[in-house]
C-alpha cells in the first residue's frame, strides 16, 4: 500500500533525494532552452545522460499552486529541448491540481515519485485515459491522511540502484504515445474501446461510481471494527455446534473453528470496489487452508458488486454476506 507524503519536511527530503539520484545517473550538465507550446525557459541548466534530460526548479512566487518543477524530455541535435512530461510536486500537503507527488510504500518503507497521468502537449487526444489505455499503465491507489485516496502511475523510486531506469521508460512511453496520437493510432475503434473498458475498470477499482464509497456520509472505514463485532454476535446467535468456537486473528477478521480446524472464514470489507474485493479474495484463500472451510466475504449492501467480481467469488467458492450500516447500528442481512 502507498501512503501520500504530505509533510513539508518529508516532501523536501524526497525531492532532494530525487534530484541527487537523477544527478548521479545524468552526469552531464548543459545549457539549453526548454520549450513547450506557447512558451520557453531560456538558458536552463539541464542534467542529461546524453539521451534524456531533467530540469528542476521552484515555482512559487505569486502563483496559485506553488510547486517544484520536475521536467523530463529527450535531447535532440539542436540547442533547444522540448518537455515530454512534467512531474511537478507540491511543496507541502496534497494538491490534486499538481500532477506529481511522493508516496511511501508501507511494506518496504521506500519513497517513490508518482504522476497522475495527466500529460500536456496541445494535441487533441493527449489525455490521461488514452495514455493509460495505450500504454497499459498500472494505476496505484495512494491513500491520504484524511482516509481518501487518489490514483497514480509509479515513475521511479527517489533513491537506490537503477532508480532512474523506470523514469526513462516512462518518459519514452509518453513520447511514443504523443506520436501515436499524432498518427491517429489512439483513435481507432479498438483503441477507443480499450480506453472505455479501462476507464470503467478504474472507476470501479477506485469506487467513483455507484455510491462513491470514499464520499459516504457515514465513515465505513472507521467503523470496520464495529462491523466485525456485529458479525461475531450474529454468528453466535445463529448457533454453534458442540466443539465449535468463534475465533479472530490479526490476519483474519473472524472465523469459526472446530477443534484445531478452521471451518468458516470471514473477511469484512468496507466497500465493494475492486481493490477491496481483490484483497478479500486473496485473504480468504490464503488463510482458509482447508478445502472444507467455508469462505465468506462480508461487504456493504449499498454498492452493487460488478458481475465479473461476483463470478470470481462463485468460481472460488466464496459466499457473499451483506451488511447495512446506519449512524447507530450494523445489520447483517
Amino acid at each position: 500500500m502507498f501512503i501520500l507524503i504530505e509533510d513539508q519536511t518529508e516532501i523536501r527530503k524526497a525531492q532532494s533525494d530525487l534530484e541527487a539520484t537523477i544527478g548521479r545517473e545524468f552526469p552531464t550538465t548543459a545549457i539549453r532552452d526548454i520549450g513547450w507550446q506557447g512558451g520557453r525557459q531560456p538558458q536552463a541548466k539541464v542534467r542529461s545522460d546524453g539521451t534524456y534530460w531533467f530540469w528542476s526548479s521552484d515555482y512559487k512566487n505569486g502563483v496559485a499552486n506553488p510547486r517544484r518543477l520536475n521536467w523530463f524530455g529527450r535531447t535532440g541535435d539542436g540547442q533547444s529541448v522540448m518537455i515530454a512530461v512534467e512531474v511537478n510536486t507540491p511543496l507541502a500537503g496534497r494538491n490534486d491540481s499538481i500532477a506529481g507527488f511522493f508516496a511511501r510504500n508501507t511494506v518496504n518503507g521506500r519513497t517513490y515519485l508518482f504522476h497522475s497521468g495527466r500529460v500536456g502537449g496541445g494535441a487533441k487526444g493527449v489525455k490521461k485515459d488514452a495514455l493509460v489505455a495505450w500504454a497499459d499503465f498500472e494505476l496505484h491507489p495512494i491513500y491520504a491522511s484524511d482516509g481518501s485516496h487518489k490514483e497514480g502511475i509509479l515513475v521511479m523510486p527517489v533513491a537506490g540502484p537503477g532508480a532512474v531506469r523506470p523514469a526513462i521508460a516512462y518518459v519514452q512511453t509518453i513520447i511514443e504515445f504523443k506520436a501515436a496520437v499524432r498518427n491517429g493510432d489512439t483513435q481507432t475503434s479498438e483503441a477507443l474501446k480499450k480506453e472505455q473498458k479501462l476507464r470503467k475498470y478504474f472507476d470501479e477499482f477506485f469506487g467513483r461510481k455507484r455510491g462513491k464509497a470514499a464520499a459516504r456520509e457515514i465513515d465505513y472505514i472507521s467503523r470496520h471494527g464495529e462491523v466485525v463485532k456485529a458479525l461475531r454476535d450474529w454468528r453466535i446467535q445463529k448457533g454453534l455446534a458442540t466443539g465449535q468456537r468463534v475465533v479472530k486473528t490479526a490476519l483474519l477478521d473472524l472465523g469459526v473453528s472446530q477443534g484445531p480446524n478452521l471451518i468458516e472464514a470471514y473477511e469484512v470489507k468496507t466497500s465493494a470496489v475492486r481493490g477491496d474485493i481483490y484483497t478479500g479474495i486473496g485473504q480468504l484463500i490464503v488463510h482458509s487452508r482447508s478445502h472444507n472451510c467455508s469462505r465468506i466475504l462480508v461487504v456493504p449492501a449499498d454498492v452493487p458488486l460488478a458481475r465479473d467480481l461476483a463470478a470470481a467469488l462463485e468460481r472460488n467458492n466464496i459466499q457473499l454476506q451483506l451488511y447495512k450500516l446506519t449512524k447507530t447500528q450494523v445489520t447483517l442481512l
Side-chain angles (χ1 to χ4, degrees):
M1 184 170 72
F2 291 97
I3 302 297
L4 182 68
I5 295 177
E6 302 174 62
D7 178 75
Q8 183 176 12
T9 301
E10 291 187 70
I11 291 176
R12 189 182 299 116
K13 172 67 163 57
Q15 180 68 36
S16 176
D17 290 344
L18 174 74
E19 293 181 29
T21 298
I22 295 177
R24 285 190 293 270
E25 297 294 327
F26 285 20
T28 302
T29 301
I31 303 300
R32 295 287 186 270
D33 288 353
I34 303 175
W36 62 91
Q37 186 175 16
R40 71 188 183 106
Q41 175 70 40
Q43 298 293 292
K45 184 183 291 187
V46 303
R47 303 299 299 247
S48 175
D49 67 347
T51 305
Y52 298 90
W53 62 268
F54 169 79
W55 179 79
S56 186
S57 179
D58 278 340
Y59 185 64
K60 60 183 181 181
N61 295 327
V63 296
N65 293 303
R67 54 197 179 273
R68 182 71 178 179
L69 304 179
N70 292 310
W71 294 356
F72 295 85
R74 186 171 177 128
T75 58
D77 296 329
Q79 290 301 307
S80 297
V81 293
M82 297 296 293
I83 301 173
V85 62
E86 299 183 38
V87 194
N88 305 329
T89 56
L91 302 181
R94 172 179 177 173
N95 189 332
D96 293 343
S97 297
I98 301 171
F101 54 91
F102 296 106
R104 181 173 295 106
N105 185 288
T106 58
V107 176
N108 62 20
R110 299 184 71 184
T111 298
Y112 297 82
L113 176 67
F114 280 85
H115 188 235
S116 69
R118 297 199 312 271
V119 288
K124 182 179 180 181
V126 177
K127 57 182 183 177
K128 173 181 177 177
D129 289 355
L131 170 65
V132 172
W134 183 84
D136 291 320
F137 281 134
E138 179 180 4
L139 286 177
H140 296 270
I142 315 296
Y143 294 90
S145 59
D146 62 0
S148 64
H149 57 255
K150 60 194 297 183
E151 57 192 39
I153 301 167
L154 197 157
V155 177
M156 62 175 284
V158 300
V164 180
R165 292 182 63 85
I168 290 174
Y170 187 57
V171 172
Q172 183 59 38
T173 298
I174 290 177
I175 292 171
E176 294 171 1
F177 164 69
K178 290 181 178 180
V181 171
R182 291 193 297 270
N183 296 334
D185 296 341
T186 62
Q187 294 301 307
T188 65
S189 58
E190 182 179 352
L192 292 173
K193 183 177 180 180
K194 182 180 179 183
E195 181 182 335
Q196 293 169 358
K197 184 177 180 180
L198 281 175
R199 185 67 269 162
K200 180 179 179 182
Y201 169 87
F202 288 121
D203 283 342
E204 289 179 356
F205 189 97
F206 290 99
R208 286 208 189 110
K209 296 181 179 177
R210 298 180 312 184
K212 296 185 178 179
R216 291 171 178 160
E217 179 184 357
I218 298 173
D219 184 353
Y220 276 52
I221 294 175
S222 68
R223 294 178 64 182
H224 176 271
E226 185 180 345
V227 177
V228 173
K229 183 179 184 301
L231 176 67
R232 176 183 181 277
D233 295 342
W234 171 82
R235 183 59 189 87
I236 291 174
Q237 289 173 5
K238 286 184 64 176
L240 298 169
T242 303
Q244 293 181 352
R245 62 190 182 93
V246 174
V247 296
K248 176 174 171 46
T249 71
L251 301 176
L252 193 66
D253 282 328
L254 201 76
V256 174
S257 66
Q258 185 153 26
N261 301 316
L262 188 69
I263 61 172
E264 295 176 22
Y266 296 84
E267 187 60 38
V268 174
K269 294 300 172 188
T270 55
S271 83
V273 300
R274 287 186 178 271
D276 280 354
I277 301 302
Y278 289 166
T279 303
I281 291 174
Q283 289 170 303
L284 288 169
I285 290 176
V286 169
H287 300 303
S288 58
R289 301 175 184 176
S290 170
H291 291 294
N292 297 323
C293 180
S294 297
R295 300 164 178 154
I296 303 97
L297 187 62
V298 185
V299 300
D302 61 343
V303 181
L305 194 65
R307 290 182 180 179
D308 60 333
L309 295 178
L313 295 180
E314 185 175 352
R315 287 196 305 272
N316 288 279
N317 296 317
I318 297 176
Q319 303 170 43
L320 197 63
Q321 175 63 52
L322 303 179
Y323 68 88
K324 187 174 182 180
L325 189 61
T326 68
K327 291 182 178 180
T328 58
Q329 65 180 5
V330 181
T331 303
L332 278 296
L333 304 180

